[in-house]
Amino acid sequence: MRRLSLIAVIPLLVLFAAGDATAHAFLDHAEPRVGNKVAAPPREVTLWFTQKLEPAFSSITVTDPAGQRVDTGKTRVSGNQMSVSLRAGGNGTYHVTWHALSVDTHTTDGNFTFQVGR
Ligand SMILES: [Cu+2]
């Protein structure tokens, strides 16, 4: 009886361990690309994640080189990607900060910069 229940439990543990390692929504890539330089201020920032996102609790904020927020405050989420429109800003370093809630209820967050100008 005891051996039977152990056999039943082990595959479940393996399943959970494997699921946890791959299930979080990590940033896969972004447009503008992380750390990249673009000639003109982009109209929006789009992020792609490794997992589908919950729209209600996933967001992006973007600040311009002066430290002012240039995102519209309305992050759009579709599947594993989210994007936000930007107001025009100047040349220099832009900071992107994101919070993601994946459909498995795990939260992740991060930030990166991109450059605008020649
Ligand atoms: Cu997860």
Side-chain angles (χ1 to χ4, degrees), residues 1 3 8 10 31-33 35 49 51 53 58 73 78 86 95 98 101 116:
M1 190 64 191
R3 173 182 278 181
I10 287 169
E31 186 61 48
R33 283 182 282 164
F49 288 85
Q51 202 190 4
L53 306 171
S58 300
S78 174
L86 305 183
H95 289 260
W98 55 266
L101 177 66
V116 172

Coordinates of all heavy atoms in Angstrom, one line a residue, residues 1 3 8 10 31-33 35 49 51 53 58 73 78 86 95 98 101 116:
M1 N 0.8 -1.2 0.0 CA 0.0 0.0 0.0 C 0.9 1.3 0.0 O 0.7 2.2 -0.8 CB -0.9 0.0 1.2 CG -2.0 1.0 1.2 SD -3.1 0.8 -0.2 CE -4.0 2.3 -0.2
R3 N 4.0 1.5 -0.9 CA 4.8 1.6 -2.1 C 3.9 2.1 -3.3 O 4.4 2.9 -4.1 CB 5.3 0.2 -2.5 CG 6.0 0.2 -3.9 CD 6.5 -1.2 -4.2 NE 7.7 -1.5 -3.6 CZ 8.4 -2.7 -3.8 NH1 7.8 -3.6 -4.5 NH2 9.6 -2.9 -3.2
A8 N 2.7 6.7 -7.0 CA 1.7 7.7 -7.6 C 2.2 9.1 -7.4 O 1.9 10.0 -8.2 CB 0.4 7.5 -6.9
I10 N 5.4 10.4 -7.0 CA 6.7 10.8 -7.7 C 6.4 11.5 -9.1 O 7.0 12.6 -9.3 CB 7.7 9.6 -7.8 CG1 8.3 9.4 -6.4 CG2 8.8 10.0 -8.7 CD1 9.1 8.1 -6.2
E31 N 10.5 45.3 -28.4 CA 10.6 46.3 -29.6 C 10.3 47.7 -29.1 O 9.2 47.9 -28.7 CB 9.7 45.9 -30.7 CG 9.9 46.7 -32.0 CD 11.3 46.5 -32.6 OE1 11.8 45.4 -32.7 OE2 11.9 47.6 -32.9
P32 N 11.2 48.7 -29.0 CA 12.6 48.6 -29.4 C 13.3 47.5 -28.6 O 13.0 47.3 -27.4 CB 13.1 50.0 -29.1 CG 12.0 50.9 -29.0 CD 10.8 50.0 -28.5
R33 N 14.4 46.9 -29.2 CA 15.1 45.9 -28.5 C 15.8 46.4 -27.3 O 16.3 47.5 -27.3 CB 16.1 45.2 -29.5 CG 15.3 44.3 -30.5 CD 16.3 43.6 -31.4 NE 16.8 44.6 -32.5 CZ 17.8 44.4 -33.3 NH1 18.6 43.3 -33.1 NH2 18.1 45.2 -34.2
G35 N 18.3 47.5 -24.8 CA 19.7 48.1 -24.9 C 20.0 48.6 -26.3 O 21.1 49.1 -26.5
F49 N 6.6 37.8 -24.0 CA 6.9 37.0 -22.9 C 6.9 35.5 -23.2 O 6.4 35.1 -24.2 CB 6.0 37.3 -21.7 CG 6.2 38.6 -21.1 CD1 5.7 39.8 -21.7 CD2 7.1 38.8 -20.0 CE1 5.9 41.0 -21.2 CE2 7.3 40.0 -19.5 CZ 6.8 41.2 -20.1
Q51 N 5.3 33.3 -21.6 CA 4.0 32.7 -21.3 C 2.9 33.7 -21.4 O 3.1 34.9 -21.5 CB 4.1 32.2 -19.8 CG 3.1 31.2 -19.4 CD 3.0 30.9 -17.9 OE1 3.7 31.6 -17.2 NE2 2.2 30.0 -17.6
L53 N -0.2 36.2 -20.5 CA -0.3 37.1 -19.4 C -1.7 37.3 -19.0 O -2.7 37.2 -19.8 CB 0.3 38.5 -19.8 CG 1.7 38.4 -20.4 CD1 2.1 39.8 -21.0 CD2 2.7 38.0 -19.3
S58 N -1.0 43.2 -15.6 CA 0.3 43.3 -16.3 C 0.4 44.7 -16.9 O -0.6 45.2 -17.5 CB 0.3 42.2 -17.4 OG 0.2 40.9 -16.9
G73 N -0.3 55.1 -20.2 CA -0.9 54.5 -19.0 C -1.9 53.3 -19.3 O -2.5 52.8 -18.4
S78 N -2.2 41.0 -25.1 CA -2.8 40.0 -26.0 C -2.0 38.8 -26.0 O -0.8 38.8 -26.4 CB -2.9 40.6 -27.4 OG -3.3 39.6 -28.3
L86 N 3.3 55.5 -26.7 CA 4.1 56.6 -26.1 C 3.8 57.9 -26.7 O 3.5 58.1 -27.9 CB 5.6 56.3 -26.4 CG 6.2 54.9 -25.9 CD1 7.7 54.9 -26.2 CD2 5.9 54.7 -24.5
H95 N 13.7 54.5 -20.1 CA 13.6 53.4 -19.2 C 12.3 52.7 -19.3 O 11.3 53.4 -19.2 CB 13.9 53.9 -17.7 CG 15.3 54.3 -17.5 ND1 16.2 53.5 -16.8 CD2 15.9 55.4 -17.8 CE1 17.3 54.1 -16.7 NE2 17.2 55.3 -17.3
W98 N 8.4 46.9 -16.4 CA 7.3 46.0 -16.6 C 6.9 45.1 -15.4 O 7.8 44.8 -14.6 CB 7.4 45.2 -17.9 CG 8.6 44.3 -17.9 CD1 9.8 44.6 -18.5 CD2 8.8 43.0 -17.4 NE1 10.7 43.6 -18.3 CE2 10.1 42.6 -17.6 CE3 7.9 42.1 -16.7 CZ2 10.6 41.3 -17.3 CZ3 8.4 40.9 -16.3 CH2 9.7 40.5 -16.6
L101 N 1.8 39.4 -14.7 CA 1.1 38.3 -14.0 C 0.8 37.3 -15.1 O 0.0 37.5 -16.0 CB -0.1 38.7 -13.3 CG -0.9 37.6 -12.6 CD1 -0.1 37.0 -11.4 CD2 -2.2 38.1 -12.1
V116 N 17.5 56.6 -27.8 CA 16.9 57.3 -29.0 C 17.9 58.4 -29.5 O 18.4 59.1 -28.6 CB 15.5 57.9 -28.7 CG1 15.0 58.8 -29.8 CG2 14.5 56.8 -28.3

